[in-house]
mmCIF file of all heavy atoms in Angstrom:
data_model
loop_
_atom_site.group_PDB
_atom_site.id
_atom_site.type_symbol
_atom_site.label_atom_id
_atom_site.label_comp_id
_atom_site.label_asym_id
_atom_site.label_seq_id
_atom_site.Cartn_x
_atom_site.Cartn_y
_atom_site.Cartn_z
ATOM 1 N N GLY L 219 125.484 114.134 90.551
ATOM 2 C CA GLY L 219 124.873 114.309 91.856
ATOM 3 C C GLY L 219 125.065 115.723 92.377
ATOM 4 O O GLY L 219 124.153 116.311 92.976
ATOM 5 N N LEU L 220 126.243 116.304 92.138
ATOM 6 C CA LEU L 220 126.526 117.671 92.569
ATOM 7 C C LEU L 220 125.605 118.659 91.871
ATOM 8 O O LEU L 220 125.041 119.565 92.514
ATOM 9 C CB LEU L 220 127.992 118.006 92.277
ATOM 10 C CG LEU L 220 128.458 119.431 92.592
ATOM 11 C CD1 LEU L 220 128.284 119.733 94.065
ATOM 12 C CD2 LEU L 220 129.915 119.608 92.172
ATOM 13 N N VAL L 221 125.432 118.496 90.561
ATOM 14 C CA VAL L 221 124.551 119.388 89.797
ATOM 15 C C VAL L 221 123.107 119.254 90.279
ATOM 16 O O VAL L 221 122.401 120.257 90.462
ATOM 17 C CB VAL L 221 124.647 119.090 88.290
ATOM 18 C CG1 VAL L 221 123.606 119.896 87.513
ATOM 19 C CG2 VAL L 221 126.055 119.397 87.768
ATOM 20 N N THR L 222 122.661 118.033 90.512
ATOM 21 C CA THR L 222 121.296 117.808 90.995
ATOM 22 C C THR L 222 121.087 118.467 92.357
ATOM 23 O O THR L 222 120.051 119.082 92.618
ATOM 24 C CB THR L 222 121.000 116.301 91.104
ATOM 25 O OG1 THR L 222 121.137 115.698 89.820
ATOM 26 C CG2 THR L 222 119.586 116.057 91.634
ATOM 27 N N GLY L 223 122.073 118.338 93.231
ATOM 28 C CA GLY L 223 121.965 118.951 94.546
ATOM 29 C C GLY L 223 121.855 120.459 94.469
ATOM 30 O O GLY L 223 121.067 121.070 95.202
ATOM 31 N N ILE L 224 122.628 121.081 93.569
ATOM 32 C CA ILE L 224 122.578 122.545 93.426
ATOM 33 C C ILE L 224 121.211 122.987 92.914
ATOM 34 O O ILE L 224 120.605 123.940 93.440
ATOM 35 C CB ILE L 224 123.692 123.026 92.480
ATOM 36 C CG1 ILE L 224 125.069 122.773 93.117
ATOM 37 C CG2 ILE L 224 123.523 124.503 92.147
ATOM 38 C CD1 ILE L 224 126.236 123.060 92.189
ATOM 39 N N VAL L 225 120.709 122.295 91.893
ATOM 40 C CA VAL L 225 119.384 122.625 91.355
ATOM 41 C C VAL L 225 118.314 122.432 92.431
ATOM 42 O O VAL L 225 117.420 123.267 92.606
ATOM 43 C CB VAL L 225 119.061 121.762 90.121
ATOM 44 C CG1 VAL L 225 117.626 122.000 89.655
ATOM 45 C CG2 VAL L 225 120.036 122.065 88.987
ATOM 46 N N GLY L 226 118.409 121.322 93.166
ATOM 47 C CA GLY L 226 117.442 121.043 94.220
ATOM 48 C C GLY L 226 117.473 122.086 95.321
ATOM 49 O O GLY L 226 116.423 122.473 95.858
ATOM 50 N N LEU L 227 118.663 122.561 95.672
ATOM 51 C CA LEU L 227 118.793 123.573 96.718
ATOM 52 C C LEU L 227 118.122 124.879 96.301
ATOM 53 O O LEU L 227 117.357 125.473 97.075
ATOM 54 C CB LEU L 227 120.277 123.824 97.016
ATOM 55 C CG LEU L 227 120.596 124.979 97.978
ATOM 56 C CD1 LEU L 227 119.961 124.750 99.333
ATOM 57 C CD2 LEU L 227 122.101 125.153 98.108
ATOM 58 N N VAL L 228 118.384 125.321 95.078
ATOM 59 C CA VAL L 228 117.819 126.585 94.601
ATOM 60 C C VAL L 228 116.295 126.501 94.521
ATOM 61 O O VAL L 228 115.577 127.384 95.025
ATOM 62 C CB VAL L 228 118.406 126.957 93.223
ATOM 63 C CG1 VAL L 228 117.695 128.187 92.650
ATOM 64 C CG2 VAL L 228 119.902 127.222 93.330
ATOM 65 N N ILE L 229 115.793 125.442 93.908
ATOM 66 C CA ILE L 229 114.340 125.315 93.721
ATOM 67 C C ILE L 229 113.620 125.170 95.059
ATOM 68 O O ILE L 229 112.618 125.850 95.318
ATOM 69 C CB ILE L 229 114.020 124.122 92.805
ATOM 70 C CG1 ILE L 229 114.450 124.437 91.368
ATOM 71 C CG2 ILE L 229 112.523 123.793 92.842
ATOM 72 C CD1 ILE L 229 114.207 123.313 90.392
ATOM 73 N N SER L 230 114.106 124.288 95.919
ATOM 74 C CA SER L 230 113.421 124.062 97.200
ATOM 75 C C SER L 230 113.468 125.293 98.088
ATOM 76 O O SER L 230 112.509 125.586 98.814
ATOM 77 C CB SER L 230 114.030 122.858 97.917
ATOM 78 O OG SER L 230 115.424 123.029 98.125
ATOM 79 N N PHE L 231 114.565 126.047 98.027
ATOM 80 C CA PHE L 231 114.652 127.277 98.822
ATOM 81 C C PHE L 231 113.610 128.296 98.359
ATOM 82 O O PHE L 231 112.888 128.887 99.175
ATOM 83 C CB PHE L 231 116.050 127.886 98.723
ATOM 84 C CG PHE L 231 116.160 129.243 99.357
ATOM 85 C CD1 PHE L 231 116.224 129.381 100.737
ATOM 86 C CD2 PHE L 231 116.168 130.399 98.569
ATOM 87 C CE1 PHE L 231 116.312 130.644 101.328
ATOM 88 C CE2 PHE L 231 116.254 131.650 99.147
ATOM 89 C CZ PHE L 231 116.326 131.772 100.535
ATOM 90 N N LEU L 232 113.518 128.493 97.049
ATOM 91 C CA LEU L 232 112.581 129.484 96.526
ATOM 92 C C LEU L 232 111.133 129.078 96.783
ATOM 93 O O LEU L 232 110.305 129.894 97.216
ATOM 94 C CB LEU L 232 112.816 129.678 95.023
ATOM 95 C CG LEU L 232 114.142 130.330 94.627
ATOM 96 C CD1 LEU L 232 114.281 130.374 93.113
ATOM 97 C CD2 LEU L 232 114.250 131.730 95.216
ATOM 98 N N ILE L 233 110.810 127.798 96.541
ATOM 99 C CA ILE L 233 109.434 127.345 96.737
ATOM 100 C C ILE L 233 109.040 127.407 98.206
ATOM 101 O O ILE L 233 107.935 127.844 98.556
ATOM 102 C CB ILE L 233 109.248 125.912 96.207
ATOM 103 C CG1 ILE L 233 109.487 125.863 94.689
ATOM 104 C CG2 ILE L 233 107.840 125.397 96.519
ATOM 105 C CD1 ILE L 233 108.496 126.648 93.884
ATOM 106 N N SER L 234 109.936 126.970 99.096
ATOM 107 C CA SER L 234 109.614 126.994 100.527
ATOM 108 C C SER L 234 109.468 128.424 101.037
ATOM 109 O O SER L 234 108.624 128.709 101.890
ATOM 110 C CB SER L 234 110.691 126.254 101.327
ATOM 111 O OG SER L 234 111.973 126.847 101.146
ATOM 112 N N LEU L 235 110.274 129.341 100.497
ATOM 113 C CA LEU L 235 110.180 130.744 100.904
ATOM 114 C C LEU L 235 108.843 131.337 100.486
ATOM 115 O O LEU L 235 108.126 131.935 101.302
ATOM 116 C CB LEU L 235 111.325 131.555 100.287
ATOM 117 C CG LEU L 235 111.294 133.068 100.548
ATOM 118 C CD1 LEU L 235 111.389 133.350 102.045
ATOM 119 C CD2 LEU L 235 112.422 133.760 99.794
ATOM 120 N N PHE L 236 108.475 131.180 99.210
ATOM 121 C CA PHE L 236 107.204 131.723 98.731
ATOM 122 C C PHE L 236 106.015 131.019 99.381
ATOM 123 O O PHE L 236 104.969 131.623 99.610
ATOM 124 C CB PHE L 236 107.117 131.610 97.205
ATOM 125 C CG PHE L 236 108.016 132.567 96.478
ATOM 126 C CD1 PHE L 236 108.965 132.110 95.581
ATOM 127 C CD2 PHE L 236 107.919 133.927 96.712
ATOM 128 C CE1 PHE L 236 109.799 132.995 94.926
ATOM 129 C CE2 PHE L 236 108.745 134.830 96.054
ATOM 130 C CZ PHE L 236 109.689 134.361 95.158
ATOM 131 N N SER L 237 106.197 129.731 99.690
ATOM 132 C CA SER L 237 105.133 128.995 100.372
ATOM 133 C C SER L 237 104.908 129.549 101.765
ATOM 134 O O SER L 237 103.769 129.700 102.221
ATOM 135 C CB SER L 237 105.493 127.507 100.437
ATOM 136 O OG SER L 237 104.515 126.782 101.155
ATOM 137 N N SER L 238 105.997 129.841 102.475
ATOM 138 C CA SER L 238 105.874 130.413 103.817
ATOM 139 C C SER L 238 105.202 131.777 103.779
ATOM 140 O O SER L 238 104.486 132.158 104.709
ATOM 141 C CB SER L 238 107.261 130.541 104.464
ATOM 142 O OG SER L 238 107.844 129.271 104.656
ATOM 143 N N LEU L 239 105.423 132.516 102.674
ATOM 144 C CA LEU L 239 104.808 133.833 102.532
ATOM 145 C C LEU L 239 103.387 133.757 101.997
ATOM 146 O O LEU L 239 102.691 134.771 101.942
ATOM 147 C CB LEU L 239 105.661 134.695 101.587
ATOM 148 C CG LEU L 239 107.046 135.098 102.096
ATOM 149 C CD1 LEU L 239 107.853 135.739 100.973
ATOM 150 C CD2 LEU L 239 106.934 136.048 103.275
ATOM 151 N N GLY L 240 102.959 132.533 101.599
ATOM 152 C CA GLY L 240 101.634 132.377 101.031
ATOM 153 C C GLY L 240 101.516 132.949 99.638
ATOM 154 O O GLY L 240 100.430 133.316 99.193
ATOM 155 N N LYS L 241 102.641 133.048 98.892
ATOM 156 C CA LYS L 241 102.647 133.664 97.570
ATOM 157 C C LYS L 241 103.105 132.675 96.497
ATOM 158 O O LYS L 241 103.650 133.065 95.468
ATOM 159 C CB LYS L 241 103.557 134.891 97.560
ATOM 160 C CG LYS L 241 103.143 135.980 98.544
ATOM 161 C CD LYS L 241 104.057 137.179 98.453
ATOM 162 C CE LYS L 241 103.647 138.242 99.472
ATOM 163 N NZ LYS L 241 102.308 138.770 99.222
ATOM 164 N N ASP L 242 102.903 131.390 96.744
ATOM 165 C CA ASP L 242 103.344 130.393 95.772
ATOM 166 C C ASP L 242 102.316 130.228 94.662
ATOM 167 O O ASP L 242 101.171 130.645 94.776
ATOM 168 C CB ASP L 242 103.583 129.055 96.472
ATOM 169 C CG ASP L 242 102.372 128.607 97.269
ATOM 170 O OD1 ASP L 242 101.804 129.444 97.983
ATOM 171 O OD2 ASP L 242 101.992 127.430 97.167
ATOM 172 N N SER L 243 102.748 129.596 93.578
ATOM 173 C CA SER L 243 101.895 129.351 92.420
ATOM 174 C C SER L 243 101.681 127.860 92.249
ATOM 175 O O SER L 243 102.625 127.071 92.369
ATOM 176 C CB SER L 243 102.546 129.938 91.159
ATOM 177 O OG SER L 243 101.984 129.374 89.990
#
Side-chain angles (χ1 to χ4, degrees):
L220 177 60
V221 173
T222 300
I224 294 173
V225 174
L227 173 60
V228 173
I229 290 179
S230 57
F231 172 76
L232 292 176
I233 297 295
S234 60
L235 176 61
F236 288 123
S237 177
S238 296
L239 293 170
K241 300 182 182 297
D242 54 315
S243 162

